[in-house]
Amino acid sequence: MKRVYNFSAGPSVLPESVLRRAAEEMLDYQGSGQSVMEMSHRSKIYEGIICSAESSLREIMNIPDNYKVLFLQGGASSQFAMVPMNLMTGSNKADFVLTGQWATKAYREAERYGTANVVASSKDKNFTYIPELDPSAFTKDADYFHICLNNTIYGTRFTTLPQTGDIPLVADVSSCILSEPVDVSKFGLLYAGAQKNMAPAGLTVVIIREDLIGRAMDFTPTMFNYQTHADNGSMFNTPPCYSIYICMLVLDWLKNTIGGLEEMKKINEKKAGILYDFLDRSSMFRGTVVPKDRSLMNIPFVTGDGELDAKFVKEAAQHDFVNLKGHRTVGGMRASIYNAMPVEGVEKLVDFMKAFEKANG
Ligand SMILES: *Cc1c(COP(=O)(O)O)cnc(C)c1O
């Protein structure tokens, strides 16, 4: 068997111990004689899985009791519509900070349902920084304020949250959920496609303050109404059963092997530090993001020479460092180093980069 170091932005690397456990349990989940893929989502045994996933997530993220956890489908991209349909129902206005492609998509979709206001944007410099926010530009009666907490494509992240007062802060946390502690009580709603840091594709997690449920626009499809899923324990219809099961295993790993989000943060800071330190010293490679806004999860870098970038990506893959090609809007390379990427993977990547620099410098 061969395992590569996988730097994919998503779907992405999962903890090896999780995959092994899933493999062991594939044909017979805990004496049930069935795979989790085969069992009824209404069975007692499956109820144990979804309840365990929810309670582990609540424990690990310290989610307050007045928040619901929803296990949905449709990806983070469906949330771009679901959030406005459910929340943009007071003044019919919302504020957006444009820090990249995903944030912009969320804004564009919300524009279809109400007045979407751009508070700030970093498009002028290809989203290589997080813009300063001027609170006087915030809409006083907005129904919510939307940010993308970690910008997967450009490799930036918010290190301080916008001060929105009573206006609910809504964040796309697809590529940073579970990477470090967050104070959930500062948000009205958090959402994440699970395929970056939680589980395989197919599962979307929404953490929503209860008072924001039950306000949806009249035409909202039943499946797009948070109330539907909150009232039915994410079991209104068939949930993404197997992804939720893997999510449960990932959360067990986070809790019992890693020791929680404070520990996870230390490991993630160590990994990112190894790569950023090298980028700052290298005479061939450089990071593309202003240092103060650098992501812990997604690290874009370039040589400045497109041909050399391509050579690097190709040779890296030959050495089992895969999926390092950067997003087409940034070029160069991007190393996504989510929770499940071991420290050793980053150390070995840097060793390879040093050797490449020596051979091609
Ligand atoms: C990957 C990603 C998305 C898109 O997620 P889907 O689940 O594919 O819809 C949205 N936002 C961010 C920040 C992402 O990283």
Side-chain angles (χ1 to χ4, degrees):
M1 186 198 71
K2 166 176 145 173
R3 294 280 296 166
V4 296
Y5 289 111
N6 178 11
F7 295 91
S8 169
S12 38
V13 58
L14 287 162
E16 197 171 305
S17 62
V18 165
L19 297 176
R20 285 185 191 285
R21 192 166 148 197
E24 277 165 23
E25 294 179 337
M26 179 60 76
L27 295 180
D28 178 7
Y29 178 72
Q30 298 194 350
S32 67
Q34 306 158 63
S35 168
V36 175
M37 285 187 213
E38 303 171 300
M39 59 182 55
S40 164
H41 60 293
R42 307 277 178 207
S43 61
K44 266 272 164 294
I45 191 152
Y46 190 75
E47 196 182 300
I49 292 173
I50 195 167
C51 290
S52 164
E54 177 173 346
S55 67
S56 291
L57 187 66
R58 285 187 174 279
E59 182 185 335
I60 291 170
M61 289 185 72
N62 199 13
I63 299 173
D65 289 343
N66 63 325
Y67 285 73
K68 288 270 193 250
V69 172
L70 309 177
F71 294 116
L72 309 179
Q73 306 190 49
S77 299
S78 290
Q79 293 307 308
F80 299 163
M82 203 163 167
V83 170
M85 282 183 185
N86 283 267
L87 266 54
M88 222 178 186
T89 55
S91 64
N92 201 223
K93 297 177 206 163
D95 281 348
F96 291 80
V97 183
L98 305 191
T99 50
Q101 245 181 51
W102 299 119
T104 305
K105 283 187 176 166
Y107 159 69
R108 290 258 160 76
E109 193 70 16
E111 271 190 308
R112 306 180 64 210
Y113 303 100
T115 307
N117 170 46
V118 176
V119 168
S121 166
S122 50
K123 191 168 194 284
D124 59 340
K125 291 185 180 154
N126 201 30
F127 302 117
T128 50
Y129 67 103
I130 299 289
E132 289 294 321
L133 301 182
D134 170 10
S136 73
F138 296 7
T139 305
K140 298 288 171 288
D141 59 344
D143 290 326
Y144 63 94
F145 189 110
H146 182 279
I147 59 170
C148 182
L149 198 60
N150 182 77
N151 296 280
T152 323
I153 295 173
Y154 302 92
T156 62
R157 63 163 175 162
F158 282 82
T159 48
T160 53
L161 296 178
Q163 297 296 315
T164 62
D166 291 340
I167 311 287
L169 184 61
V170 172
D172 180 350
V173 291
S174 295
S175 53
C176 59
I177 190 167
L178 302 174
S179 65
E180 59 180 329
V182 287
D183 182 352
V184 174
S185 73
K186 295 258 192 311
F187 298 87
L189 189 154
L190 293 162
Y191 65 90
Q195 69 274 20
K196 313 287 165 64
N197 223 3
M198 303 185 93
L203 168 64
T204 309
V205 173
V206 171
I207 302 166
I208 180 171
R209 212 175 62 207
E210 280 169 355
D211 62 287
L212 299 174
I213 299 171
R215 309 178 176 188
M217 296 176 179
D218 286 342
F219 62 77
T220 303
T222 306
M223 278 293 289
F224 263 46
N225 193 324
Y226 292 125
Q227 181 100 57
T228 304
H229 302 285
D231 285 351
N232 291 282
S234 303
M235 290 273 200
F236 172 74
N237 70 325
T238 317
C241 300
Y242 197 77
S243 289
I244 293 170
Y245 158 70
I246 299 287
C247 187
M248 175 191 81
L249 298 185
V250 168
L251 292 165
D252 281 355
W253 168 82
L254 251 175
K255 204 163 62 170
N256 301 319
T257 305
I258 300 296
L261 293 189
E262 285 294 349
E263 292 306 314
M264 194 70 251
K265 180 185 184 181
K266 282 184 207 154
I267 297 168
N268 285 331
E269 283 177 339
K270 179 172 179 190
K271 284 187 289 181
I274 291 167
L275 188 45
Y276 285 126
D277 285 351
F278 172 68
L279 292 172
D280 289 344
R281 284 184 283 111
S282 168
S283 49
M284 176 178 283
F285 299 100
R286 63 176 176 81
T288 56
V289 166
V290 301
K292 74 176 179 54
D293 298 328
R294 285 170 163 176
S295 168
L296 285 179
M297 295 282 101
N298 310 96
I299 306 187
F301 55 95
V302 295
T303 63
D305 170 345
E307 271 175 37
L308 197 57
D309 288 347
K311 184 167 193 265
F312 175 80
V313 170
K314 188 168 163 225
E315 289 185 16
Q318 287 162 354
H319 287 80
D320 291 341
F321 303 103
V322 307
N323 291 318
L324 279 165
K325 192 173 181 330
H327 192 271
R328 64 195 146 70
T329 57
V330 179
M333 283 70 69
R334 170 177 47 169
S336 293
I337 51 172
Y338 295 115
N339 287 354
M341 172 58 65
V343 175
E344 179 197 72
V346 181
E347 286 170 345
K348 289 195 170 159
L349 173 65
V350 167
D351 287 345
F352 175 75
M353 290 168 77
K354 283 179 186 162
F356 184 89
E357 182 168 337
K358 212 168 186 177
N360 296 275

